PDB file of all heavy atoms in Angstrom:
ATOM      1  N   SER A 496      33.133 319.337 -34.310  1.00 55.00           N
ATOM      2  CA  SER A 496      33.420 317.879 -34.401  1.00 55.00           C
ATOM      3  C   SER A 496      32.114 317.062 -34.798  1.00 55.00           C
ATOM      4  O   SER A 496      32.268 315.965 -35.261  1.00 55.00           O
ATOM      5  CB  SER A 496      33.918 317.320 -32.991  1.00 55.00           C
ATOM      6  OG  SER A 496      32.907 317.559 -32.005  1.00 55.00           O
ATOM      7  N   GLN A 516      16.483 298.501 -72.195  1.00 96.00           N
ATOM      8  CA  GLN A 516      16.131 297.165 -72.876  1.00 96.00           C
ATOM      9  C   GLN A 516      14.635 297.253 -73.320  1.00 96.00           C
ATOM     10  O   GLN A 516      14.058 296.171 -73.506  1.00 96.00           O
ATOM     11  CB  GLN A 516      16.332 296.192 -71.863  1.00 96.00           C
ATOM     12  CG  GLN A 516      17.889 296.030 -71.572  1.00 96.00           C
ATOM     13  CD  GLN A 516      18.165 294.534 -71.097  1.00 96.00           C
ATOM     14  OE1 GLN A 516      18.023 293.604 -71.907  1.00 96.00           O
ATOM     15  NE2 GLN A 516      18.680 294.418 -69.916  1.00 96.00           N
ATOM     16  N   ARG A 554      23.921 289.932 -50.736  1.00 96.00           N
ATOM     17  CA  ARG A 554      23.980 290.462 -52.110  1.00 96.00           C
ATOM     18  C   ARG A 554      22.628 290.418 -52.723  1.00 96.00           C
ATOM     19  O   ARG A 554      22.487 291.115 -53.767  1.00 96.00           O
ATOM     20  CB  ARG A 554      25.003 289.731 -52.966  1.00 96.00           C
ATOM     21  CG  ARG A 554      25.375 290.400 -54.305  1.00 96.00           C
ATOM     22  CD  ARG A 554      26.577 289.745 -55.069  1.00 96.00           C
ATOM     23  NE  ARG A 554      26.200 288.372 -55.368  1.00 96.00           N
ATOM     24  CZ  ARG A 554      26.770 287.302 -54.740  1.00 96.00           C
ATOM     25  NH1 ARG A 554      27.684 287.548 -53.776  1.00 96.00           N
ATOM     26  NH2 ARG A 554      26.411 286.076 -54.947  1.00 96.00           N
ATOM     27  N   ALA A 563      12.087 296.120 -56.390  1.00 97.00           N
ATOM     28  CA  ALA A 563      11.548 297.378 -56.036  1.00 97.00           C
ATOM     29  C   ALA A 563      11.138 298.249 -57.224  1.00 97.00           C
ATOM     30  O   ALA A 563      10.109 298.927 -57.282  1.00 97.00           O
ATOM     31  CB  ALA A 563      12.363 298.121 -55.022  1.00 97.00           C
ATOM     32  N   ALA A 587      11.265 287.582 -54.218  1.00 98.00           N
ATOM     33  CA  ALA A 587      10.058 287.149 -55.044  1.00 98.00           C
ATOM     34  C   ALA A 587       8.860 287.223 -54.217  1.00 98.00           C
ATOM     35  O   ALA A 587       7.787 287.713 -54.579  1.00 98.00           O
ATOM     36  CB  ALA A 587      10.282 285.793 -55.502  1.00 98.00           C
ATOM     37  N   LEU A 590       7.771 290.774 -53.331  1.00 98.00           N
ATOM     38  CA  LEU A 590       7.231 291.393 -54.539  1.00 98.00           C
ATOM     39  C   LEU A 590       5.791 291.023 -54.748  1.00 98.00           C
ATOM     40  O   LEU A 590       4.992 291.952 -54.988  1.00 98.00           O
ATOM     41  CB  LEU A 590       8.123 291.091 -55.746  1.00 98.00           C
ATOM     42  CG  LEU A 590       7.542 291.600 -57.133  1.00 98.00           C
ATOM     43  CD1 LEU A 590       7.427 293.148 -57.148  1.00 98.00           C
ATOM     44  CD2 LEU A 590       8.257 291.021 -58.268  1.00 98.00           C
ATOM     45  N   LEU A 598      11.163 295.506 -48.246  1.00 96.00           N
ATOM     46  CA  LEU A 598      12.198 294.465 -48.009  1.00 96.00           C
ATOM     47  C   LEU A 598      13.543 295.025 -48.362  1.00 96.00           C
ATOM     48  O   LEU A 598      14.464 294.734 -47.576  1.00 96.00           O
ATOM     49  CB  LEU A 598      11.886 293.255 -48.749  1.00 96.00           C
ATOM     50  CG  LEU A 598      13.006 292.063 -48.544  1.00 96.00           C
ATOM     51  CD1 LEU A 598      13.081 291.592 -47.097  1.00 96.00           C
ATOM     52  CD2 LEU A 598      12.726 290.906 -49.430  1.00 96.00           C
ATOM     53  N   THR A 668       6.560 274.695 -55.056  1.00 98.00           N
ATOM     54  CA  THR A 668       5.525 275.550 -55.544  1.00 98.00           C
ATOM     55  C   THR A 668       4.159 274.944 -55.022  1.00 98.00           C
ATOM     56  O   THR A 668       4.141 274.172 -54.219  1.00 98.00           O
ATOM     57  CB  THR A 668       5.555 275.682 -57.023  1.00 98.00           C
ATOM     58  OG1 THR A 668       4.677 276.684 -57.512  1.00 98.00           O
ATOM     59  CG2 THR A 668       5.239 274.317 -57.720  1.00 98.00           C
ATOM     60  N   PRO A 711      17.608 280.622 -60.717  1.00 98.00           N
ATOM     61  CA  PRO A 711      16.560 279.542 -60.774  1.00 98.00           C
ATOM     62  C   PRO A 711      15.752 279.444 -62.068  1.00 98.00           C
ATOM     63  O   PRO A 711      14.495 279.824 -62.072  1.00 98.00           O
ATOM     64  CB  PRO A 711      15.677 279.840 -59.538  1.00 98.00           C
ATOM     65  CG  PRO A 711      15.799 281.362 -59.521  1.00 98.00           C
ATOM     66  CD  PRO A 711      17.223 281.669 -59.789  1.00 98.00           C
ATOM     67  N   VAL A 714      13.124 275.497 -64.027  1.00 97.00           N
ATOM     68  CA  VAL A 714      11.658 275.207 -64.240  1.00 97.00           C
ATOM     69  C   VAL A 714      11.174 276.235 -65.215  1.00 97.00           C
ATOM     70  O   VAL A 714      10.392 275.880 -66.109  1.00 97.00           O
ATOM     71  CB  VAL A 714      10.876 275.260 -62.913  1.00 97.00           C
ATOM     72  CG1 VAL A 714       9.431 275.338 -63.098  1.00 97.00           C
ATOM     73  CG2 VAL A 714      11.324 274.071 -62.077  1.00 97.00           C
ATOM     74  N   GLY A 742      34.520 277.344 -46.370  1.00 86.00           N
ATOM     75  CA  GLY A 742      34.432 276.291 -47.378  1.00 86.00           C
ATOM     76  C   GLY A 742      34.698 274.928 -46.776  1.00 86.00           C
ATOM     77  O   GLY A 742      33.959 273.912 -47.079  1.00 86.00           O
ATOM     78  N   ARG A 773      25.196 280.719 -70.268  1.00 96.00           N
ATOM     79  CA  ARG A 773      24.086 280.187 -71.099  1.00 96.00           C
ATOM     80  C   ARG A 773      22.935 281.052 -71.103  1.00 96.00           C
ATOM     81  O   ARG A 773      22.321 281.337 -72.135  1.00 96.00           O
ATOM     82  CB  ARG A 773      23.619 278.782 -70.513  1.00 96.00           C
ATOM     83  CG  ARG A 773      22.465 278.128 -71.258  1.00 96.00           C
ATOM     84  CD  ARG A 773      21.886 276.918 -70.484  1.00 96.00           C
ATOM     85  NE  ARG A 773      20.723 276.536 -71.181  1.00 96.00           N
ATOM     86  CZ  ARG A 773      19.736 275.738 -70.444  1.00 96.00           C
ATOM     87  NH1 ARG A 773      19.951 275.313 -69.193  1.00 96.00           N
ATOM     88  NH2 ARG A 773      18.695 275.259 -71.172  1.00 96.00           N
ATOM     89  N   ALA A 775      23.008 284.315 -70.642  1.00 95.00           N
ATOM     90  CA  ALA A 775      23.408 285.502 -71.429  1.00 95.00           C
ATOM     91  C   ALA A 775      23.346 285.153 -72.945  1.00 95.00           C
ATOM     92  O   ALA A 775      22.857 286.050 -73.750  1.00 95.00           O
ATOM     93  CB  ALA A 775      24.906 285.891 -71.090  1.00 95.00           C
TER      94      ALA A 775
END
Side-chain angles (χ1 to χ4, degrees):
S496 60
Q516 298 205 58
R554 193 176 54 255
L590 173 62
L598 178 63
T668 191
V714 170
R773 179 190 172 200

